[in-house]
Amino acid sequence: RKMRPIATANHQLSSSSPYSDGCRPCVARRRRRKRKRSNADPRHSLAIAMSNWHSTVSLVCAVLILSACAFVSHAADSRVQQQRQHSRQNARAADLLPGNHTRNAAVLVSSSRYWHNYRHVTNVLSLYNLLKTGGQFTDDNIILMIADDIPCDGRNPHKNAIYPEYARTGAGNSVYNADVEVDYRGTDVTVENFLRVLVGRHEKGETPSRMLDLTPDTNLVVFLTGHGGDSFFKFQDGEELMTQDITDAFQQMHRIGRYNEMLFIADTCQAFTLNPTEFKVLSDITALPNVMTVASSLQGQNSYAHHSDPEIGQSVVDRYTYNFVENLKNLAMRQPDSQVDMSSALWRSMEQTSVKTAWVDALPRKKLGADVGWTDKGCSRPMKDIPLCDFLCDKEQQDFAASPSGSAVLNSNCDDSASSSSCVVDSDALQSIVSTMR
């Protein structure tokens, strides 16, 4: 046992002693006297308690006041920041140059099949829903090519549904429903059928709904998602679409007048090697004007999935398409009436955003894990000056809504005094109205 130090005559110990302020009995006596003085006057204890209570209340009040001031300041800053953001959006929108096209169309292709390629179907259906919801496209102006085997796959826990997110919690929205009109499914998703749709050279007896009526005034979107590599794109692991094939088809479309401007989008590995205006496949850019290309990855780079779902057990969507769609939705949520009419909010967001901003600038490498490839070489308008709505909004629907009566106006040679037999109606305008109503 450790020996206790012996006190000196005046009861003072060395500074290293545990009782350096005096011997143990002396310390105990001083403590007892201190307690007696404290207990002798209860008012002293009450005063100390009251003082501590007031200090606590004052501290709580100060914290609450500072928190309220910080909240008010943050709300004011948020409003100012939102107003500035709207001002910037309006300024950017003022710099955008709407095109002179009169129609819009889209060819959307997911070339993969089987359960493990769940994300590729989600990619194409996410863009399909954006076109129909925000762009007011009708199925007459969309060609959709998917294997269509995922909704009924035995491993799918949600039959007849495909979720890009929140499948397990039930909070997600399925991009596959009864309103989805698939034009080419299963083994019909081939390179040959894809090229026939583009150039309009179908076999005799082809169903009209599987054709696109393209004109020199049509702005066309072509979207490819699936597996690919350096200068090739795979169709269901059975055949390949080469970059040269795409270039040749686009050149034929230009010669026969099947587009005004075209936006070609590829979401696959080494996607930018599919660029149809690349010098190695097109020596004369004037032979293929007004075709702009955006791609999710460069040569030697992969295109990655965004996230997986534990219940589905697969990656459910790719980063490039997912971030593009989510960015547009976030922009739409900042519109004043987004809670009332999300469709109109999406439309206005696409009017205020350029093609380059939406498909390139807003999708950096840190989000994708790859670099976005893009080019507007040979285009009469740069991508940074073209509103996204020129490609993703149906021009016919816009003109229909903008007419004074809320409907299209027929150009006719009739007057009030003419009889019905002498009245000649512009057939093109009539066909436009019928198509819009359909």
Side-chain angles (χ1 to χ4, degrees):
R1 180 176 297 179
K2 183 177 180 181
M3 299 297 293
R4 191 177 303 278
I6 301 175
T8 57
N10 57 358
H11 303 291
Q12 296 297 322
L13 300 176
S14 63
S15 59
S16 62
S17 169
Y19 302 100
S20 58
D21 57 343
C23 65
R24 186 173 184 178
C26 295
V27 171
R29 282 195 297 272
R30 283 197 295 271
R31 290 177 179 172
R32 284 195 297 271
R33 285 196 297 269
K34 187 175 181 180
R35 284 197 297 270
K36 286 180 181 179
R37 285 195 300 269
S38 300
N39 296 332
D41 190 1
R43 291 177 297 178
H44 178 70
S45 300
L46 180 62
I48 293 175
M50 291 294 293
S51 176
N52 293 337
W53 184 81
H54 281 299
S55 300
T56 303
V57 172
S58 300
L59 180 61
V60 171
C61 290
V63 170
L64 291 176
I65 292 173
L66 290 175
S67 300
C69 292
F71 177 78
V72 172
S73 176
H74 177 71
D77 291 342
S78 298
R79 286 194 296 270
V80 172
Q81 185 176 2
Q82 188 174 7
Q83 291 174 356
R84 290 177 179 175
Q85 187 169 9
H86 282 306
S87 299
R88 288 194 298 267
Q89 287 180 354
N90 292 333
R92 288 195 297 267
D95 295 334
L96 300 180
L97 305 173
N100 57 356
H101 64 291
T102 60
R103 300 182 67 249
N104 287 86
V107 178
L108 311 178
V109 180
S110 170
S111 65
S112 302
R113 64 187 309 178
Y114 306 123
W115 175 248
H116 59 272
N117 290 317
Y118 188 106
R119 65 190 185 278
H120 296 153
V121 184
T122 307
N123 293 342
V124 75
L125 290 178
S126 296
L127 188 58
Y128 172 86
N129 278 274
L130 178 65
L131 292 178
K132 293 191 67 175
T133 303
Q136 301 297 310
F137 270 65
T138 63
D139 284 306
D140 293 333
N141 296 336
I142 302 176
I143 292 295
L144 180 61
M145 306 177 73
I146 60 175
D148 205 22
D149 57 344
I150 301 297
C152 297
D153 193 284
R155 290 161 288 189
N156 190 354
H158 306 281
K159 300 303 180 185
N160 295 320
I162 296 177
Y163 290 95
E165 58 184 348
Y166 304 126
R168 190 171 187 176
T169 62
N173 294 320
S174 174
V175 293
Y176 187 90
N177 50 53
D179 295 331
V180 175
E181 184 175 310
V182 182
D183 300 291
Y184 293 83
R185 57 166 44 92
T187 55
D188 286 342
V189 182
T190 63
V191 173
E192 179 183 352
N193 284 335
F194 170 67
L195 296 178
R196 285 184 179 277
V197 168
L198 293 180
V199 299
R201 296 178 178 173
H202 296 275
E203 293 181 347
K204 186 177 180 179
E206 182 63 89
T207 305
S209 64
R210 307 207 324 170
M211 306 178 186
L212 269 184
D213 183 18
L214 302 178
T215 68
D217 297 322
T218 303
N219 275 11
L220 177 65
V221 174
V222 179
F223 178 80
L224 299 181
T225 182
H227 292 289
D230 191 352
S231 301
F232 71 89
F233 182 72
K234 297 170 66 175
F235 270 71
Q236 299 188 357
D237 289 333
E239 53 184 346
E240 297 173 350
L241 174 71
M242 309 303 293
T243 305
Q244 188 65 61
D245 299 330
I246 301 174
T247 302
D248 293 342
F250 288 178
Q251 283 184 293
Q252 291 184 49
M253 295 175 68
H254 169 62
R255 285 195 294 266
I256 62 180
R258 294 219 6 124
Y259 74 90
N260 174 55
E261 291 178 316
M262 189 188 307
L263 177 61
F264 176 59
I265 308 162
D267 188 359
T268 182
C269 296
Q270 306 191 64
F272 197 55
T273 60
L274 297 175
N275 173 26
T277 60
E278 179 67 27
F279 179 76
K280 64 182 180 181
V281 293
L282 183 69
S283 58
D284 184 11
I285 191 62
T286 60
L288 190 56
N290 295 325
V291 174
M292 52 204 76
T293 301
V294 292
S296 61
S297 56
L298 300 179
Q299 185 176 24
Q301 295 180 341
N302 294 324
S303 182
Y304 296 100
H306 186 269
H307 62 273
S308 60
D309 186 274
E311 186 179 14
I312 293 174
Q314 293 291 339
S315 298
V316 293
V317 67
D318 282 331
R319 298 180 187 180
Y320 189 59
T321 303
Y322 176 83
N323 282 292
F324 167 76
V325 174
E326 288 302 307
N327 288 343
L328 278 183
K329 289 181 179 179
N330 291 335
L331 287 175
M333 290 298 295
R334 297 169 186 167
Q335 297 291 340
D337 60 345
S338 61
Q339 300 298 327
V340 179
D341 189 355
M342 187 62 177
S343 178
S344 297
L346 281 169
W347 184 296
R348 283 194 302 276
S349 297
M350 290 190 286
E351 284 182 325
Q352 299 170 357
T353 307
S354 72
V355 173
K356 186 173 182 293
T357 298
W359 284 108
V360 181
D361 298 338
L363 302 171
R365 181 184 178 90
K366 65 180 181 181
K367 282 188 176 182
L368 306 181
D371 299 303
V372 175
W374 68 278
T375 180
D376 53 11
K377 183 174 60 175
C379 297
S380 58
R381 298 189 296 163
M383 286 171 52
K384 65 181 181 63
D385 293 337
I386 303 176
L388 188 61
C389 215
D390 272 17
F391 289 100
L392 303 190
C393 301
D394 191 348
K395 181 71 171 179
E396 290 180 336
Q397 296 293 332
Q398 184 181 23
D399 293 341
F400 179 82
S403 62
S405 61
S407 61
V409 179
L410 290 177
N411 295 322
S412 67
N413 298 324
C414 303
D415 53 31
D416 295 337
S417 61
S419 63
S420 59
S421 60
S422 61
C423 186
V424 180
V425 179
D426 188 343
S427 60
D428 292 337
L430 180 60
Q431 185 178 2
S432 175
I433 286 186
V434 173
S435 176
T436 302
M437 294 177 63
R438 187 183 301 126

